[in-house]
Amino acid sequence: MKHRGILFVLAVASYGLAVSAQNSGGGSSPGSPNGQEQTVPAQASVSQASSSQAAIPTSTAANAPATPPHGQQSSTQEDESVATIRKTVNEVNVVFTVTDKHGRYVKDLKKEDFKFVDDSKPAEDVKDFRTQTDLPLQVGLLVDASNSVRDRFKFEQESAIEFLNQTVRPKYDTAFVVGFDVTPEVTQDFTDNTEALSRGVRLLRPGGGTAMFDALYFACRDKLLKAPRSGPLRRAIILLSDGEDNQSHVTREEAIEMAQRAEVIVYTISTNITGMKAKGDRILERIADTTGGRAFFPFQMRDVANAFVEIQDELRSQYAVSYKPADFKLDGRYRTIEIVAMDHRNFHVRSRRGYFAPTR
């Protein structure tokens, strides 16, 4: 029996499948839209961080969820265990938004209204297409608590609290709060309790330098990428900052890459009050644009609340597609994504620009 088991593992591995043993039991794989086998998006199947793997100092006011063990030996319980095949599925999941010429959200289009292009080639097959107006959310609120945002800090806190109260639905959505200056600090871990989230926002205190890239990298790698998924969902980060960074250990592009690996859409809200776009604003635009989000520049304080309202509206006005790329290779290479509306003169599509293919 052991020899046959070894041969089976080798045969499966030759097709790029990973075989792991787990205790027998019924039920479907987590994350499966059909309640059967889990579909792992190509960009999500890479669990390693960016090549630099910089150590980011963090402090937490609430413990992060425990990471499940990678695996357990079952050699003493071979008769009670069953082989479970986990495979890298060559499918890509993308959440995107469509607006008309006036910037209004378009929510009633069909699969046939779009062209899906992966790495400059049309997708081989569209597996699933749906309007995601009610999909569960995992949201991270990242608030710049450096000295540079002190003037508007209190107002921004109240606007963020109102956003969380309006967006997070109990027993359905979850969110966490991170404040950052030199280091990111979790003032409230994942929860669906809006009162706890409000307390987490009020615990934030301005002061110190700015390590914005570290905070974004940390929120994507250590929070959202490791968060459990029980089915299809959307992951988003709302980043409040002036965009200036003088303390990070990772670069802007490394932070963006980690957001792409975690399938996170980043919305940025500038805290610049000069009335003119600065260097930091262009950085915020870059982060939002490459992840499929939007950059907001509320030069007046009352516009901060409006930006949160627009983000909330967009999170409930999106589409999701799952497609199989043509000529797909497990080479770890960055692949571009382009979603084009057939009526491109009247409709504008916004999505993340690409993903990293998994490796064997």
Side-chain angles (χ1 to χ4, degrees):
M1 290 297 293
K2 292 184 178 179
H3 292 302
R4 273 184 269 173
I6 294 171
L7 291 174
F8 174 73
V9 172
L10 292 174
V12 171
S14 67
Y15 286 92
L17 306 181
V19 178
S20 64
Q22 67 177 31
N23 290 336
S24 60
S28 59
S29 300
S32 170
N34 301 320
Q36 297 178 7
E37 184 173 285
Q38 179 181 6
T39 300
V40 183
Q43 68 276 19
S45 59
V46 182
S47 59
Q48 68 267 27
S50 109
S51 57
S52 66
Q53 286 293 342
I56 301 175
T58 63
S59 58
T60 58
N63 291 330
T67 302
H70 180 69
Q72 296 180 350
Q73 292 184 348
S74 58
S75 58
T76 60
Q77 299 178 345
E78 290 183 12
D79 294 337
E80 298 179 4
S81 64
V82 60
T84 300
I85 300 176
R86 293 186 304 175
K87 61 182 179 180
T88 300
V89 182
N90 296 344
E91 292 182 9
V92 177
N93 295 335
V94 186
V95 173
F96 63 97
T97 305
V98 183
T99 53
D100 62 17
K101 291 189 294 185
H102 303 286
R104 294 173 299 205
Y105 297 113
V106 181
K107 308 177 186 180
D108 58 353
L109 298 178
K110 309 298 182 184
K111 176 178 68 174
E112 295 73 22
D113 295 319
F114 301 97
K115 179 171 64 174
F116 305 98
V117 181
D118 186 289
D119 218 28
S120 302
K121 295 182 180 180
E124 182 177 307
D125 183 30
V126 177
K127 300 289 187 180
D128 186 41
F129 179 90
R130 65 183 72 181
T131 303
Q132 302 290 23
T133 57
D134 202 37
L135 205 64
L137 297 171
Q138 287 182 341
V139 179
L141 177 66
L142 272 62
V143 181
D144 188 338
S146 64
N147 277 320
S148 60
V149 299
R150 187 179 294 272
D151 293 341
R152 300 198 304 179
F153 195 72
K154 185 67 175 177
F155 184 82
E156 288 162 0
Q157 280 180 303
E158 295 306 315
S159 297
I161 289 171
E162 181 65 19
F163 165 78
L164 292 169
N165 286 335
Q166 294 295 324
T167 303
V168 176
R169 297 161 294 180
K171 299 181 180 179
Y172 202 67
D173 304 318
T174 57
F176 64 93
V177 180
V178 171
F180 63 92
D181 45 27
V182 177
T183 59
E185 177 185 7
V186 180
T187 57
Q188 177 55 55
D189 212 334
F190 277 110
T191 183
D192 62 353
N193 186 321
T194 54
E195 290 185 7
L197 290 167
S198 298
R199 287 195 297 270
V201 173
R202 292 193 175 100
L203 284 173
L204 300 171
R205 295 289 183 271
T210 308
M212 183 182 71
F213 304 144
D214 280 0
L216 179 58
Y217 190 95
F218 163 75
C220 293
R221 183 190 67 179
D222 296 333
K223 305 304 296 178
L224 288 163
L225 191 59
K226 294 181 179 180
R229 341 178 31 145
S230 58
L233 51 78
R234 280 168 297 171
R235 288 172 168 167
I237 281 178
I238 293 87
L239 172 62
L240 280 83
S241 177
D242 60 5
E244 299 290 342
D245 190 304
N246 54 22
Q247 296 286 339
S248 283
H249 296 76
V250 303
T251 66
R252 179 193 67 186
E253 295 307 306
E254 287 170 336
I256 290 173
E257 177 183 331
M258 187 52 60
Q260 292 169 333
R261 292 189 185 278
E263 302 177 64
V264 175
I265 298 173
V266 183
Y267 297 93
T268 60
I269 301 177
S270 174
T271 58
N272 171 23
I273 58 174
T274 64
M276 299 177 60
K277 284 188 179 181
K279 177 183 177 182
D281 291 325
R282 291 190 291 273
I283 292 173
L284 294 176
E285 279 185 313
R286 166 72 179 170
I287 293 171
D289 190 43
T290 54
T291 60
R294 290 177 61 189
F296 295 87
F297 303 98
F299 294 127
Q300 299 183 32
M301 282 194 292
R302 66 175 179 270
D303 294 332
V304 175
N306 294 336
F308 275 113
V309 170
E310 289 192 51
I311 293 172
Q312 180 187 355
D313 191 18
E314 176 160 322
L315 288 173
R316 306 298 181 198
S317 309
Q318 296 173 321
Y319 298 87
V321 63
S322 176
Y323 66 84
K324 181 179 180 181
D327 192 28
F328 189 79
K329 295 181 176 64
L330 302 177
D331 54 9
R333 188 172 58 84
Y334 181 79
R335 298 174 66 96
T336 58
I337 295 173
E338 185 180 10
I339 301 175
V340 182
M342 293 302 186
D343 187 0
H344 61 273
R345 293 183 179 180
N346 293 313
F347 298 136
H348 172 69
V349 178
R350 188 173 68 255
S351 72
R352 55 196 174 92
R353 293 184 175 182
Y355 65 98
F356 290 87
T359 54
R360 291 186 183 276

